[in-house]
Amino acid sequence: MVRLLIIVAVLLAATGVGLIAERNRGRFFTKRNFEPTVTESEIRSTFGKSATVLQFSSAFCAPCRAARATIENVVPQFPGITHVELDAEANLELVRKLKVAQTPTTIFLDPQGVEVGRAVGAPKKSQLVAVLEKF
Amino acid sequence: MSQPKQIDARAPRWSAGFTTVVLIIALLTKSTWLTIWQLAVFAVAAFINISKSPYGIFYKKVIRPRLSGEVPLEDSRPPVFAQLVGFGFVLVATIGALTHNWAVFTVAMAGCIFAAFLNSAFDYCLGCKIYLLGIRIFR
């Protein structure tokens, strides 16, 4: 009986976690603390004229491929915005500096390399377009 | 761990569903044998070949012919990582069962059911959440 209750509780908790994760996936969160600044040498690429979409990926991450496909599909519609994808594992220093906790994490940088906001989890096309239109 | 290759993206979710059912039955009946079976399934998928997992083979033979549409492909590394995490949980559960330490068995099984159900029902990517955190802590 106790084990049955444990199973019910575990399934309910997992459902809660799953629903919250689904709701927050790809959501754009504005960064209020405008530090630290990223440099072009850190991302081994030049910044876009109006913005840079910096995506962190990792090997054990299926949604990273979906995120890449969406970003590569949307970014060319916005001249002046550049997409840079970095392997999180190979760029741990930057990952720690930017406090990236999971993949995919997409960070939006202004032309000076200051973080404007970020989305965790693969963003939907409409979410991404809405963010990029602000630049 | 096996080399990166492409597998049917739907297979891991179905396998996680079978895993959830097997784990629930094993926990309810305190079945050591069923727990060892699941440990063996995880071991095959994580260390030998994820395509040789009994649940993967069952999916291929029984479920896939009944699904329509194109086969979506994905990198095998994320699901292999998830199978490795499952192996860790069920290894602890098996040790608990063999030493009649049922509290350890129950907690480890509950943890694994939590992860397997999330994977199956929500396509939750466990590797995305914990792999980078693990690396940040240990490297």
Side-chain angles (χ1 to χ4, degrees):
Chain A
M1 189 60 198
V2 175
R3 288 195 298 276
L4 187 63
L5 284 176
I6 289 173
I7 288 168
V8 171
V10 163
L11 293 182
L12 283 176
T15 303
V17 168
L19 289 175
I20 291 169
E22 194 52 42
R23 205 191 56 187
N24 285 340
R25 180 171 67 87
R27 239 172 152 188
F28 177 75
F29 289 96
T30 311
K31 182 105 175 180
R32 287 189 180 79
N33 172 16
F34 292 103
E35 289 290 331
T37 310
V38 178
T39 63
E40 288 185 328
S41 67
E42 278 175 321
I43 64 166
R44 292 187 296 281
S45 173
T46 49
F47 292 137
K49 278 198 180 65
S50 47
T52 303
V53 179
L54 178 59
Q55 184 202 337
F56 286 95
S57 300
S58 65
F60 302 113
C61 165
C64 291
R65 279 175 32 143
R68 180 193 311 142
T70 308
I71 295 169
E72 282 178 349
N73 178 267
V74 170
V75 162
Q77 299 165 26
F78 295 87
I81 297 185
T82 309
H83 172 213
V84 178
E85 183 177 359
L86 293 180
D87 179 52
E89 201 176 342
N91 293 278
L92 273 186
E93 221 169 288
L94 189 58
V95 160
R96 288 203 176 94
K97 180 172 155 185
L98 293 172
K99 296 187 172 68
V100 173
Q102 52 171 286
T103 52
T105 293
T106 310
I107 297 184
F108 301 91
L109 304 172
D110 75 3
Q112 282 74 45
V114 177
E115 177 177 347
V116 178
R118 64 177 65 188
V120 178
K124 293 185 207 67
K125 197 177 166 185
S126 57
Q127 291 174 313
L128 195 59
V129 168
V131 174
L132 297 186
E133 272 172 349
K134 291 180 199 157
F135 289 101
Chain B
M1 219 173 278
S2 60
Q3 288 302 304
K5 57 174 180 177
Q6 297 292 309
I7 56 166
D8 185 338
R10 299 166 299 189
R13 276 185 85 171
W14 281 92
S15 297
F18 303 141
T19 303
T20 308
V21 173
V22 168
L23 288 171
I24 287 176
I25 296 171
L27 176 53
L28 280 180
T29 59
K30 288 195 347 196
S31 166
T32 306
W33 286 113
L34 204 51
T35 309
I36 291 174
W37 156 258
Q38 185 57 50
L39 186 69
V41 170
F42 277 142
V44 169
F47 303 117
I48 300 172
N49 184 343
I50 193 160
S51 307
K52 295 274 186 291
S53 150
Y55 302 162
I57 292 170
F58 180 78
Y59 163 81
K60 224 176 290 170
K61 294 257 155 71
V62 181
I63 311 285
R64 188 155 74 189
R66 288 171 170 75
L67 299 176
S68 59
E70 244 178 84
V71 177
L73 292 175
E74 78 167 15
D75 194 319
S76 68
R77 285 174 297 178
V80 168
F81 179 78
Q83 297 288 303
L84 190 66
V85 173
F87 178 83
F89 271 113
V90 176
L91 181 65
V92 173
T94 304
I95 293 168
L98 290 175
T99 56
H100 298 279
N101 200 332
W102 296 108
V104 170
F105 168 79
T106 304
V107 170
M109 291 294 267
C112 201
I113 291 169
F114 182 86
F117 177 75
L118 256 179
N119 187 188
S120 163
F122 295 96
D123 205 8
Y124 194 85
C125 174
L126 196 62
C128 304
K129 310 281 174 187
I130 64 170
Y131 178 63
L132 189 57
L133 281 182
I135 284 188
R136 280 182 58 174
I137 292 166
F138 295 110
R139 208 186 282 173

